[in-house]
Amino acid sequence: MLHVYTKSFSELTTEELYAILQLRTEVFVVEQNCVYQDIDFKDQKALHVIGTKNDKIVAYTRIFKSGDYFSEASIGRVVVAKNERKFGYGHIIFDYSVEAVLEFFKETTIKISAQKYLKNFYESHHFKQVGEEYLEDDIPHIAMIKN
C-alpha cells in the first residue's frame, strides 16, 4: 500500500531529502543513463509529493504553482522505483499530484514536460500533447497540458 503526502522544501527532513535525491538519481541518471543536473534550485519553490511503502520513499513528484516553472502550474520529476512500478504507483502518485495542484494552488490547468515514451500514461490522466517533440537532456520529450 502506498502512503502519499505533501511537504514544502523547508518541511522535508534531511533523511527525506536524501531519499528523494537518491531515487531521482537512481532512475533519471543511472537507469536512464542520462547525465544531467538534477539539483536545479527549483526544489525550494516546489511542493514535494512523496509516496512511501514500508517507510521507504518509492514514488515522488514535485509540483509548482503557475509562474514557478512554466506559466501554468506543473508537475515534474515523476518517478517510481523500478521494483515498485508493477503496483501502479505511478498512477497513484500522479493522480495525487494533480489533486494537490488543485488543493494547494487552486489551479486546474497543468503543463508537463513528458518523456515521449510515457505519452499514453499521461493521456490516461487526461493530458494532451501540445507542440512538437523536442530533446531534453538527449531524451525525446513532449509538452502536455491538462485543462
Side-chain angles (χ1 to χ4, degrees):
M1 180 83 170
L2 192 69
H3 171 70
V4 184
Y5 59 97
T6 305
K7 286 189 170 185
S8 69
F9 185 79
S10 62
E11 293 171 325
L12 294 173
T13 66
T14 53
E15 290 80 12
E16 286 170 321
L17 179 60
Y18 192 89
I20 289 165
L21 295 174
Q22 187 281 329
L23 178 61
R24 288 176 8 187
T25 301
E26 176 184 302
V27 173
F28 297 133
V29 177
V30 178
E31 181 184 330
Q32 295 182 352
N33 194 27
C34 179
V35 177
Y36 84 109
Q37 186 63 49
D38 178 46
I39 300 174
D40 58 4
F41 291 98
K42 291 185 174 83
D43 289 313
Q44 290 87 334
K45 290 183 175 183
L47 285 181
H48 302 270
V49 180
I50 301 161
T52 61
K53 179 179 178 182
N54 301 323
D55 295 321
K56 181 175 190 242
I57 295 175
V58 298
Y60 168 85
T61 73
R62 64 183 187 180
I63 63 174
F64 296 92
K65 69 181 187 301
S66 58
D68 278 354
Y69 196 91
F70 295 120
S71 57
E72 304 85 356
S74 63
I75 302 170
R77 299 293 199 268
V78 179
V79 63
V80 176
K82 188 173 188 174
N83 61 341
E84 300 291 341
R85 293 179 194 152
K86 61 184 172 262
F87 302 113
Y89 295 158
H91 291 286
I92 293 169
I93 195 98
F94 196 75
D95 281 340
Y96 187 100
S97 299
V98 169
E99 290 300 317
V101 168
L102 179 60
E103 178 185 343
F104 291 102
F105 307 141
K106 311 294 186 239
E107 298 187 52
T108 55
T109 300
I110 303 170
K111 181 177 182 179
I112 61 173
S113 177
Q115 292 186 8
K116 185 180 177 191
Y117 84 96
L118 290 168
K119 180 180 179 184
N120 290 341
F121 171 87
Y122 292 115
E123 285 177 340
S124 76
H125 294 271
H126 310 288
F127 279 74
K128 292 181 174 42
Q129 180 176 345
V130 292
E132 299 299 314
E133 177 183 325
Y134 55 93
L135 285 179
E136 186 172 308
D137 302 310
D138 289 327
I139 295 174
H141 279 69
I142 52 175
M144 300 186 82
I145 295 265
K146 178 183 188 299
N147 290 314

